[in-house]
Amino acid sequence: MDIQRVLVVGAGAMGSQIALVCARAGLAVTCHDIDETRIEAARHDLRERSDRDVAKGRQSRADEDAAWQRLTFGTDLAGLAAEADFVIEAAVEKLDIKRSLFADLDRLTPPHAILATNSSSFVPSKLADATARPGLVCNVHFFNPALVMKCVEVVAGPQTTSETVEAAVELVRRLGKTPVVLDKEIPGFVANRILNAVRDEAVFLYESGVASVEAIDTACRTALGYPMGPFELMDLTGVDIGYFTKQARYAETGDPRDAPSKSVREMVERGDLGRKTGRGWYVYDESGQKIAPA
Ligand code: CAA
């Protein structure tokens, strides 16, 4: 399948960075959001990252300008979807919203378009039957920060065709990323299941009074070689994102081990969501530098 035009739905941290990754790879990209202010914030954030990558010699100015020429943002889903060959949905992690989006995308995109979700919690079969093209539905799951992290999990549901998986893998390679294909769908996929097990143990150790947040992060970095400790990583990805993902999993399984922990719930209630609010497990200054444990 010849993929030339990609539609990214959702201009949050993940969607906007995925859109720039696609534009840098030579694809024509449209990025949709229902909220004009989020689009402006995404443009601003991506421009800063572009400028830094050019200043550090990671991208040439000419290549970066060409990538921006291929990238269009907007709020009119019908207009942006009309010519898409491949959709990457990176909207909010709420199943009813995603299902209704997939039904709209099914109506608005050409019949050959693959409808992929970047969801970290919902497997393809949760979305496929919201469309009349279940064979063309799959997950392509990027990691945060999407401009940097190499892995993209490609997940097929029971109805996803092998041609869809092949096209998704080919696209991921074209983006300069490393595809990891799952042979069978499972909530959380591979990397997040492993990561969540580590995070849950870290929160258990903290809530049990065994060690401080900083001490646990330091152990993970210096004993296990992690680039960031689990608390630092929660602050990067958003404390609320992990909370909603666990809550959705808990609603599905009823397993108490899947319930969000007390400290995380309290942080979400207080609005301490990590770097994006300046306070999570740590406190950050205006330039995003970590100052101290919260
Ligand atoms: N967005 C885009 N680029 C970023 C970034 C961000 N939020 N943070 C860092 N970078 C890039 C920048 O280009 C930066 O270089 P400059 O500051 O020189 O421009 C470069 O990464 C290196 O950053 P730093 O020197 O500040 O720090 P670092 O060497 O520790 O690298 C990191 C930062 C790449 C984020 C690294 O710490 C890391 O790999 N951390 C672990 C990330 C991880 O585990 N991600 C998976 C999260 S789980 C997930 O994503 C699940 C999901 O379902 C969404």
Side-chain angles (χ1 to χ4, degrees), residues 93-109:
E93 287 285 82
K94 300 227 163 103
L95 186 58
D96 52 343
I97 294 177
K98 286 195 193 285
R99 282 184 63 85
S100 120
L101 244 175
F102 267 66
D104 289 345
L105 290 167
D106 190 30
R107 214 168 20 84
L108 299 171
T109 55

Side-chain angles (χ1 to χ4, degrees), residues 179-257:
V180 170
V181 178
L182 271 72
D183 300 326
K184 190 173 151 187
E185 63 175 33
I186 183 170
F189 317 135
V190 170
N192 273 1
R193 289 182 77 90
I194 293 168
L195 180 68
N196 291 350
V198 171
R199 181 198 57 198
D200 289 351
E201 187 63 21
V203 173
F204 164 78
L205 291 169
Y206 163 70
E207 287 188 347
S208 307
V210 172
S212 69
V213 161
E214 210 172 16
I216 297 166
D217 276 347
T218 303
C220 288
R221 273 189 274 99
T222 57
L224 306 176
Y226 290 7
M228 282 182 169
F231 296 102
E232 291 166 326
L233 187 54
M234 277 186 265
D235 277 359
L236 173 75
T237 55
V239 177
D240 53 331
I241 304 293
Y243 173 77
F244 288 126
T245 307
K246 279 209 94 172
Q247 214 181 30
R249 176 92 57 85
Y250 181 49
E252 206 175 318
T253 65
D255 184 339
R257 283 173 305 181

Side-chain angles (χ1 to χ4, degrees), residues 75-121:
T75 52
D76 167 28
L77 186 61
L80 297 175
E83 289 179 38
D85 301 312
F86 200 105
V87 178
I88 303 173
E89 173 273 320
V92 64
E93 287 285 82
K94 300 227 163 103
L95 186 58
D96 52 343
I97 294 177
K98 286 195 193 285
R99 282 184 63 85
S100 120
L101 244 175
F102 267 66
D104 289 345
L105 290 167
D106 190 30
R107 214 168 20 84
L108 299 171
T109 55
H112 70 269
I114 291 177
L115 305 183
T117 175
N118 177 55
S119 175
S120 52
S121 31

Side-chain angles (χ1 to χ4, degrees), residues 2 42 48 62 146 214:
D2 184 26
E48 275 188 359
E214 210 172 16

Side-chain angles (χ1 to χ4, degrees), residues 17 49 52 56 58 120 141 143-145 148 192 195 233:
Q17 292 203 8
R49 299 209 174 276
R52 204 158 56 227
K56 297 220 166 176
R58 287 190 283 249
S120 52
H141 180 228
F143 291 83
N144 191 338
V148 180
N192 273 1
L195 180 68
L233 187 54

